[in-house]
Amino acid sequence: MSDRVSNWFKERLGLDDLPFFRTPDYMYKVNFWLGALVASAFIYTVISGLILLLYYNPDEGYQSTQFIIQHVPYGSVVLYSHLYGAYAMIILAYVHMFRNYFAGAYKRPRELLWIIGVLMLVLTLGTAFLGYSLIGDALATSAVDVGAGIVSSVPGLSSFVPILFGNYDAGQYERVLALHIIFAALIGVLFVFHFFLAEHYGMMPSRKEKSKAPAVYTKEEWMKFNPWWPRNFVYMISLVFLTWGFILVIPNALAYLSGLPQQLNPFLNPKPAPPPNSPAAAHITTYPPWFFLFLYKMADFTSNVTVFLLFSSIIPLVYLILVPFLDRSPELHPLKRKVFTGIGILMITYLIQNTIWGDLTPGVPIPFKQQVIAFLPPAVIVAIGMYLLPSPKEGSNNNTSTQVTQQTNITKMINNFPSLPIKALGKVEVSMERKKTLAEILISILFIMAVILTAQIWTIPSTGPASNLFGIDLGLIFIMLGEAISLYHYVVYKK
């Protein structure tokens, strides 16, 4: 039945003719599909953002946000999950970028693919900052104040503040909303190019398969792999449902928590802070969005805005864009390009370090001596570690020699013990059948649970605090469907 449905779509849509990447069996693991997770979060954020756009009034930012939460059916569910969809996209984009960085996926022929990805990350951070500001609470206003202050401090750019942010201090966010939508549209345009380049070159092969750049499969190798339809589609849909499920469950569950420690508010509290001019606003610590805490802290290192922008943004961004042209070695193993590996480790270390530092001591100036004490030890440790770690020997990733050795050993085993491989094969087949049978049972259980949740989810109130239970239940349904589809993929395609 499933083959008939698959073939029907394949014939009607011409799916065999699509120039999409054919995938080897070993690539059906999440670490090869991080880009799909980022895309899933982006698509969810766009859909939820369009729903919010129907109700949001930029002339009354904070009041409009409260109206969505309190009076729009399931408005808080959509708003909180929209916020956490952006959070998920940022985190996954960082993981995706650094995974590809250490894998050497910026090397030829993927230079343009890498550069577009870096630009998409920058746009994602900018879009998230603008969207965060649209809430109009005390934290959002403070964040825009900092952003406007940085822009106005750069010589010649002060006239751009009203163009970029409009009359935000009066609660009017038309300009911020327009830029938010424009940035999201630019991400969508770049995503199309990024996607088709990724499909053209294919996923980055394992170093066991391709140990040096250019790490791409030949046409002959490519034709031996699994077609994009239906297996890639099925696997991707499972990842989409799982991603959407967690985006829904986490913020709606956190919405029930109250009295969070102040240090956790930038990370875990999806609810808006008090309005900027209220008495309650005077008693809260103002933070930027958590994904800019590292910038917020680095602003405490110097009073010179040019120096701040140079070290916090310009140098790291230029480095990431130029790294494909700086690292011209064909080597892909991280320990065969130690300088670039060390720089990547330090970038992650300083990003996390400054984020935590900005959370614990917001707005506290840091003297130069303390900066040296904070930043020098990680650099020394990484430098010594990179120096002491031995580089892999040439040919250690040579897949051909490994396969020849394995084939020789297997041949000897078969010749000397002809009955052992047959017995082992039988055990493997029995074990595989048992696992598939268990997977089929789990699919049935997950489907039944999803149906039960779907039947009772409509009894949950559409407004008020209890409406967040709808978001939790809907997220659990997505997670169960995603896991069921993943198990289906295992049953049908695992060999």
Side-chain angles (χ1 to χ4, degrees), residues 68-145:
I68 290 172
I69 293 173
Q70 297 173 10
H71 301 291
V72 174
Y74 309 112
S76 62
V77 173
V78 179
L79 179 63
Y80 298 160
S81 60
H82 179 74
L83 176 69
Y84 267 70
Y87 289 176
M89 185 177 173
I90 292 169
I91 294 171
L92 291 169
Y94 271 124
V95 174
H96 180 47
M97 182 186 74
F98 280 113
R99 185 263 178 190
N100 285 342
Y101 178 90
F102 291 116
Y106 54 78
K107 293 177 178 286
R108 64 185 179 97
R110 295 182 174 86
E111 298 97 332
L112 186 57
L113 181 65
W114 167 266
I115 293 171
I116 292 175
V118 172
L119 295 178
M120 288 173 66
L121 175 61
V122 174
L123 284 172
T124 298
L125 293 173
T127 307
F129 172 78
L130 293 167
Y132 178 89
S133 304
L134 290 171
I135 296 172
D137 61 6
L139 298 180
T141 305
S142 174
V144 180
D145 283 339

Side-chain angles (χ1 to χ4, degrees), residues 7 35 72 113 119 174 198 204-205 223 320 335 371 394 426 479 484 491-492:
N7 291 333
V72 174
L113 181 65
L119 295 178
E174 296 95 338
M204 184 76 175
M223 291 304 296
L320 288 172
L335 293 180
Q371 296 174 38
E394 192 66 32
I479 290 173
V491 171
V492 174

Side-chain angles (χ1 to χ4, degrees), residues 34-283:
L34 292 172
L37 298 183
V38 179
S40 300
F42 174 64
I43 293 169
Y44 182 90
T45 307
V46 169
I47 294 172
S48 57
L50 290 173
I51 295 172
L52 292 172
L53 193 60
L54 297 174
Y55 299 96
Y56 182 77
N57 179 7
D59 289 328
E60 300 176 345
Y62 187 80
Q63 293 81 358
S64 183
T65 301
Q66 290 298 328
F67 174 80
I68 290 172
I69 293 173
Q70 297 173 10
H71 301 291
V72 174
Y74 309 112
S76 62
V77 173
V78 179
L79 179 63
Y80 298 160
S81 60
H82 179 74
L83 176 69
Y84 267 70
Y87 289 176
M89 185 177 173
I90 292 169
I91 294 171
L92 291 169
Y94 271 124
V95 174
H96 180 47
M97 182 186 74
F98 280 113
R99 185 263 178 190
N100 285 342
Y101 178 90
F102 291 116
Y106 54 78
K107 293 177 178 286
R108 64 185 179 97
R110 295 182 174 86
E111 298 97 332
L112 186 57
L113 181 65
W114 167 266
I115 293 171
I116 292 175
V118 172
L119 295 178
M120 288 173 66
L121 175 61
V122 174
L123 284 172
T124 298
L125 293 173
T127 307
F129 172 78
L130 293 167
Y132 178 89
S133 304
L134 290 171
I135 296 172
D137 61 6
L139 298 180
T141 305
S142 174
V144 180
D145 283 339
V146 173
I150 292 173
V151 174
S152 61
S153 299
V154 179
L157 294 185
S158 58
S159 59
F160 284 90
V161 171
I163 297 174
L164 293 173
F165 302 110
N167 195 22
Y168 74 92
D169 50 351
Q172 298 173 352
Y173 291 89
E174 296 95 338
R175 194 59 55 86
V176 177
L177 177 61
L179 286 176
H180 180 63
I181 295 171
I182 291 170
F183 276 32
L186 288 174
I187 294 173
V189 172
L190 289 180
F191 170 75
V192 172
F193 286 105
H194 192 75
F195 173 79
F196 278 99
L197 282 174
E199 291 293 335
H200 175 69
Y201 294 120
M203 297 182 200
M204 184 76 175
S206 166
R207 285 199 307 273
K208 294 179 180 179
E209 298 286 327
K210 304 287 181 180
S211 62
K212 294 185 179 182
V216 291
Y217 286 109
T218 64
K219 189 69 173 179
E220 291 74 19
E221 293 172 321
W222 184 74
M223 291 304 296
K224 297 177 183 177
F225 301 148
N226 303 294
W228 186 88
W229 178 270
R231 186 170 181 182
N232 281 23
F233 179 79
V234 170
Y235 190 74
M236 189 164 56
I237 289 297
S238 72
L239 296 178
V240 168
F241 275 118
L242 288 169
T243 304
W244 289 10
F246 284 108
I247 287 173
L248 278 161
V249 167
I250 294 174
N252 285 287
L254 290 173
Y256 285 94
L257 296 178
S258 59
L260 286 171
Q262 182 64 44
Q263 288 77 12
L264 295 180
N265 273 331
F267 304 96
L268 296 180
N269 193 356
K271 296 181 179 180
N277 298 322
S278 66
H283 301 288

